[in-house]
Amino acid sequence: MVDFLFYMFALTTLLGAGSVVLSRNPVNAAMLLIVSFVGTASLFIVLGAYFLAAVQLAVYAGAVIVLFLFIIMLLNVDASRKWKPSYFTMAGGLIAGILMVFAVLHLFKRGENFTTDTLSESAPIGTTTQSFGVELFTAYMLPFQLAGILLLIAMLGVIFISKRTSDKGKEAV
Amino acid sequence: MNWESYKSIADTNLWSAILPEFVLVILALSLLLLDMFGGSKGRGLVGRVTMLGLLVLFVLSLTVLRDNLGYINQTTFSGMLLHSDFGQIMRLFFLASSLLTAYLGSVFLKKQGLPGTEFYAITLLVTASLMLLSQSNNFVLLFVALETVTIGFYVLVSYNRDRSNSLEAGLKYLIMGGFSTAILLMGIVLLYGIGSSPVLEGATAHSLNFSELRNFLELNSDNLIAKVGVLLVVAGVAFKIGSVPFQIWIPDVYQGAPTPVTAALAVSSKAGGFAVLIALVSGPFKPMADLLIPVLSVMAIVTILFGNIAALTQQNVKRLIGLSGVSHAGYLLMGVVAMFTVPSAQNAIVFYLITYLLASYAVFGVMAHVSKRGQDDAQNLGDYQDMLKESPFLAGVLVLGLASLAGIPPLAGFIGKLLLFYVAFEAELYTMLAVAIVGVVISIYYYFGWIKEATFRIWKLPLLEGEEPEEPREWPEVSRTARLTLGGLALLALLLGLYQGPLSSLIG
């Protein structure tokens, strides 16, 4: 059963990723990327990492894709225009692809003695949402609070820079 | 779940150990409330509240909180922070720098007619994270603190949002900063991954902790992935200090940013980078000396030469200061290299940073005063003509500041350079020392070019008949606070050159 689920979700991920590359319309490509992310999240569930799966869905399928769609909307990309990559780009892509193939082959060779059991046991703090939460509010309390300040600065900055001013330079409400 | 162990971890979260940072954050939040509910009267008070708060905190940190309520040489927050004497000095440094930034900000914002609350609030928050950064003992905290500082600076650089060059500088800094963050993060991830790999000897589950990472690197100092990770982390930090080959952003961003922000970038941001570098080199990266000494040496040599040679032809004073700041980063990097063999080099670096702070803020203070109301101009060397005649006080401060940056005895900058060169000599870095001395000689040319513009009379053509005389430039009034602040900075730069007693006991 687990094997069947793995192959199904792996196929979803790969097909989704493949169609992102092949799709001509950027909006469709962004949507297909969600399919690929859902496949990855499902693979995490098969591995027993439920929290990671939820984060994958919330952050990538939710926030990042919305960001992509916003950028596509703002840039007003023309779907019909054909884009021809330069030789430099093509060479870069080729090298990255070859490296990726070697990395995957290496994983297959080295990964024989890894099973899902050893993976979840070797994780230092476990994989449940509760263990992440407890860890976050004990050992990582200070960086967690500091991240709040980071977001406050970002919010202040965005409001300040994009605030509308009237001609006299006084703040408009 | 083992609650007892979590309880003992939570017990190390001692908020009183970071009291100054805590107060800064509270102060920043109350500024926002003051702006919201205080009406126009409250808005006018914001700048003064900020400066008063920073001044009180600085004095308290110098006296009552000198030993950080007893938390010295201890780790708190489950090993996230290490409170050391070095951290205490850097805390004072950032408080002083932030106080001066807030003062320059009050001068600048009034001239530009910009609202100030966000400027002061972000400056305070950035200061708090810089102070945490200089005490961090874990890569997670280091990254979050560094990112908070950088994001604060993105906003501050583009603060003058009605001017396109400020926004342009903000965008350039955003892109280059994002790039450097990615490099730093990649390095941290590689170190985390290789440090917790069960295949290797000395692997640890907490490989982001500095002391655990050091133990790991001591056993695996020739591991390729660890080497790449260390290099990437150093590259990420090199962006912040602006050393070659990561100095590309400096001239444009310095030129476009509002003057007080340029000052903060030149002093606080650079010092923050060096605080991280010192913590790394004296801690986790010490076992990687064989890799880092040649890399940092080459970086230091190229940085010194590039900064000084590129500054030679600059006509814009902000670009000139930016590029000369690159060369100062080079001299400081020389001190970092010396730290591998002579640990006391750390004190020389701290002293140099303090002299750099005094001289830089004196020069930037003059710059902030010279620009006209509603404009951020007067950035060309030519704008400083006749300064000695029209505004002798500002000219005097400028001359003292620039001469201290150039390292002319008897000013503080000379002693700073002397100490750095001395530790480099002790560490037997003769090649680098020779390059640094050549660099100092080159730097005198452009610093004195600026002094010459400000002090020497320029001969002008006599007016021909029917020719309108050129309208005389408006020279700013210098307020009493400005006289006190700038005069104090210049005086300190002079006194520290003559007598270093109290400071050397502070640094140790």
Side-chain angles (χ1 to χ4, degrees), chain A residues 110 114 124-125 128 130-131 134-135 137-147 149-150 152-154 156-165 169 171, chain B residues 1 3 6 9-10 13 15 18 25 29 32 77-78 80-81 115 118 121-122 125-126 132 140-141 144-145 147-148 151-152 155 158-159 161-162 199 205:
Chain A
R110 288 279 298 276
F114 281 124
I125 54 168
T128 64
Q130 191 190 24
S131 61
V134 170
E135 194 79 7
F137 283 96
T138 53
Y140 293 90
M141 187 66 182
L142 188 62
F144 180 69
Q145 298 283 355
L146 196 58
I149 292 175
L150 190 153
L152 175 71
I153 292 181
L156 270 178
V158 168
I159 292 173
F160 177 76
I161 290 176
S162 61
K163 197 159 55 176
R164 198 188 296 271
T165 46
E171 301 302 314
Chain B
M1 192 158 291
W3 292 108
Y6 280 120
I9 292 176
N13 290 352
W15 293 96
I18 54 163
V25 172
L29 294 178
L32 296 177
F77 291 92
S78 64
M80 290 279 165
L81 290 181
E118 289 86 353
I122 294 177
L125 294 174
V126 164
L132 286 179
V140 174
L141 185 72
V144 178
E147 217 22 34
T148 312
I151 287 187
V155 180
S158 40
Y159 200 81
R161 61 194 169 131
D162 297 328
V199 188

Side-chain angles (χ1 to χ4, degrees), chain A residues 3-18:
Chain A
D3 275 357
F4 169 71
L5 284 177
F6 170 77
Y7 284 117
M8 198 174 82
F9 293 137
L11 202 65
T12 319
T13 312
L14 286 178
L15 281 182

Side-chain angles (χ1 to χ4, degrees), chain B residues 42-188:
Chain B
R43 221 164 289 159
L45 276 175
V46 165
R48 261 172 256 173
V49 171
T50 310
M51 281 182 264
L52 189 71
L54 281 168
L55 191 64
V56 169
L57 210 54
F58 180 75
V59 173
L60 283 182
S61 301
L62 201 59
T63 53
V64 186
L65 295 172
R66 188 70 190 87
D67 60 345
N68 198 22
L69 300 173
Y71 301 113
I72 283 280
N73 295 325
Q74 280 186 38
T75 58
T76 53
F77 291 92
S78 64
M80 290 279 165
L81 290 181
L82 173 67
H83 305 284
S84 58
D85 286 320
F86 169 69
Q88 289 297 102
I89 297 281
M90 289 320 283
R91 272 173 152 184
L92 281 170
F93 182 92
F94 291 129
L95 279 175
S97 169
S98 167
L99 179 61
L100 291 165
T101 306
Y103 171 65
L104 292 190
S106 72
V107 173
F108 177 84
L109 295 170
K110 208 158 78 183
K111 279 192 177 171
Q112 303 286 319
L114 283 168
T117 316
E118 289 86 353
F119 178 87
Y120 296 118
I122 294 177
T123 307
L124 288 178
L125 294 174
V126 164
T127 311
S129 1
L130 276 168
M131 286 159 75
L132 286 179
L133 184 67
S134 59
Q135 306 173 75
S136 67
N137 194 36
N138 187 303
F139 271 117
V140 174
L141 185 72
L142 183 140
F143 179 73
V144 178
L146 199 62
E147 217 22 34
T148 312
V149 173
T150 317
I151 287 187
F153 272 117
Y154 295 154
V155 180
L156 290 178
V157 166
S158 40
Y159 200 81
N160 206 349
R161 61 194 169 131
D162 297 328
R163 302 184 73 81
S164 58
N165 56 3
S166 181
L167 291 176
E168 179 199 323
L171 191 65
K172 278 182 180 160
Y173 192 45
L174 176 73
I175 292 170
M176 296 314 286
F179 187 46
S180 79
T181 301
I183 290 180
L184 177 72
L185 199 55
M186 185 65 106
I188 293 175

Side-chain angles (χ1 to χ4, degrees), chain B residues 234 237-238 241-244 274 277 281 293 295-304 326-340 349 352 420 429 432:
Chain B
V234 169
V237 177
I241 61 179
S243 85
V244 177
F274 273 104
L277 208 54
V281 162
I293 288 180
V295 170
L296 288 176
S297 302
V298 171
M299 268 167 71
I301 289 173
V302 181
T303 305
I304 292 171
V326 170
S327 71
H328 285 288
Y331 305 136
L332 286 163
L333 266 181
M334 185 171 75
V336 173
V337 177
M339 266 181 72
F340 281 107
I349 298 176
Y352 194 90
L420 264 186
L429 307 168
M432 226 188 297

Side-chain angles (χ1 to χ4, degrees), chain A:
Chain A
M1 184 63 187
V2 174
D3 275 357
F4 169 71
L5 284 177
F6 170 77
Y7 284 117
M8 198 174 82
F9 293 137
L11 202 65
T12 319
T13 312
L14 286 178
L15 281 182
S19 21
V20 171
V21 180
L22 294 175
S23 160
R24 280 259 163 249
N25 187 331
V27 179
N28 287 354
M31 289 301 178
L32 285 164
L33 197 55
I34 298 183
V35 176
S36 178
F37 284 150
V38 170
T40 328
S42 320
L43 285 176
F44 281 136
I45 291 177
V46 174
L47 283 171
Y50 305 110
F51 181 73
L52 213 53
V55 168
Q56 168 87 12
L57 278 183
V59 174
Y60 284 95
V64 172
I65 292 295
V66 171
L67 206 67
F68 279 177
L69 287 177
F70 259 109
I71 290 169
I72 291 168
M73 187 184 82
L74 289 176
L75 286 183
N76 207 4
V77 184
D78 190 2
S80 60
R81 200 174 53 127
K82 282 209 172 169
W83 177 69
K84 203 152 188 296
S86 66
Y87 288 108
F88 193 65
T89 318
M90 279 201 271
L94 198 67
I95 292 169
I98 291 170
L99 282 178
M100 189 69 207
V101 169
F102 275 109
V104 171
L105 284 178
H106 186 68
L107 262 185
F108 274 119
K109 225 166 68 186
R110 288 279 298 276
E112 276 165 359
N113 44 5
F114 281 124
T115 63
T116 49
D117 290 344
T118 56
L119 267 182
S120 58
E121 272 166 21
S122 67
I125 54 168
T127 51
T128 64
T129 313
Q130 191 190 24
S131 61
F132 277 109
V134 170
E135 194 79 7
L136 199 58
F137 283 96
T138 53
Y140 293 90
M141 187 66 182
L142 188 62
F144 180 69
Q145 298 283 355
L146 196 58
I149 292 175
L150 190 153
L151 293 177
L152 175 71
I153 292 181
M155 198 169 68
L156 270 178
V158 168
I159 292 173
F160 177 76
I161 290 176
S162 61
K163 197 159 55 176
R164 198 188 296 271
T165 46
S166 67
D167 294 326
K168 284 175 188 163
K170 287 192 80 179
E171 301 302 314
V173 181

